[in-house]
Amino acid sequence: MTEQPVAPATAPEKSPAGKVSLFEVFLTFLVIGAVSFGGGVVAYLRNSLVSQKKWLDEEEFLAALEISQALPGLNATNMSVIVGDRLRGPLGSIVGFVGMTLPGGLLILVLGIAYVSNNHNSYVNAALAGVGAASVGLLASVTLQIGHKQLEHLLDIAIVLVTIVMVSVFHISLVIVLLTVGPVAIFLYRPHKDRVHAADRTGLDKKPAD
Amino acid sequence: MSDHTDLNILGVFSLLSILAVGGGTAVLPEMKALTVDVHHWLSDDQFRNIYGLGQLAPGPNMLMVIVIGYHVAGFVGAALAFVGFFAPASIIAWGTSRIWNHFEGSPWRLSVQRGFAPLVIGLMTAGTISIARTAITGWIPVVFAVVVFCVLYFRHRVNPALMILAAAIAGVFLLR
């Protein structure tokens, strides 16, 4: 895998027009934030940043996605921060993040105010009960799409099952789960001096774009 | 007690932000434990409903933390939940992305990625289970969940938003 140089903070990775304006960064992420639904933000990000704007090539996009997925937080907001920074430095991060979260944030605030004011309304509760049930199907679908590769190795299956049991059966705090299963899993996949590590990108889509 | 509540909102969502390795779904069991069982800000039903609201809005679906904050402490609560949940992780992402390439050649980076992959899947599954426990309250919700799962899993090109909206409408007729 080739080295991924970090572009100077004031220069874009790639843009025929030269410097990308802050307004263009904001507007691009605003549109992505306004049209993506149901955890499909990664597809919108790729389509916009790679295919349309050509601010990143496929390799650069995957590298940024890899960072987003390895860290806490949501892919969508992590990506807006990372790409915004590469295009226009810290200000780019801020306007990218605000663009990504503004449309949904405003709408959810309006919906939230309406909900809090009407949370005894039987129609509202019935509709949201339907949405809640549908969300279970949505989450299960996303999890299985991302995770089916993990069901091909016994060690991975064991880690998955231990994690599920700890959280869902014993209700152990996420802090404890991360601090115990995390290091153990990393240790089990520790580098071996006698083995050559081929770069494994097949499992890059580790988490949904939520 | 208002000051304590505000600080608790900021504290809870900042913690969740740092814990959200694996994304929003992975952190749902902890969010539910803290907001429903520990602080008693929400009932089970309210948690499910607010999560559902998040599905109705575009963009990152964990924006529903704004509703939790608003429900607890009005606009100040909404702002604190938003800043709490998104600022720590975003700052970590910004800082880490600038040094990530320094670890390009380290074999441990690959170990972290490969070790975390099944952990994340386990956490996402647990997150799905935590929503299912509040949302699946009879046979009709089971049918909703199964239909949505089959359509989205086997017909990838269907827009999830359409399924969510259809479920909301069907819910009005079938779940009142």
Side-chain angles (χ1 to χ4, degrees), chain A residues 74 77 97 101, chain B residues 17 60 62-63 65 81-91:
Chain A
L74 313 185
T77 43
F97 172 85
T101 55
Chain B
S17 182
M62 297 307 284
L63 286 168
V65 301
F82 177 79
V83 170
F85 189 75
F86 286 100
S90 294
I91 292 171

Side-chain angles (χ1 to χ4, degrees), chain A residues 4 58-67 86 201, chain B residues 100:
Chain A
Q4 296 290 322
E58 193 71 30
E59 188 78 3
E60 288 159 346
F61 180 82
L62 287 177
L65 186 62
E66 174 183 302
I67 301 173
R86 291 189 178 179
R201 286 194 169 269
Chain B
W100 189 255

Side-chain angles (χ1 to χ4, degrees), chain A residues 106-148:
Chain A
L106 288 181
L107 178 57
I108 199 67
L109 183 58
V110 171
L111 290 175
I113 294 171
Y115 170 72
V116 170
S117 305
N118 294 281
N119 64 352
H120 298 298
N121 183 296
S122 62
Y123 288 96
V124 169
N125 283 296
L128 289 175
V131 172
S135 299
V136 174
L138 171 63
L139 290 175
S141 169
V142 172
T143 302
L144 203 47
Q145 281 167 10
I146 291 173
H148 72 270

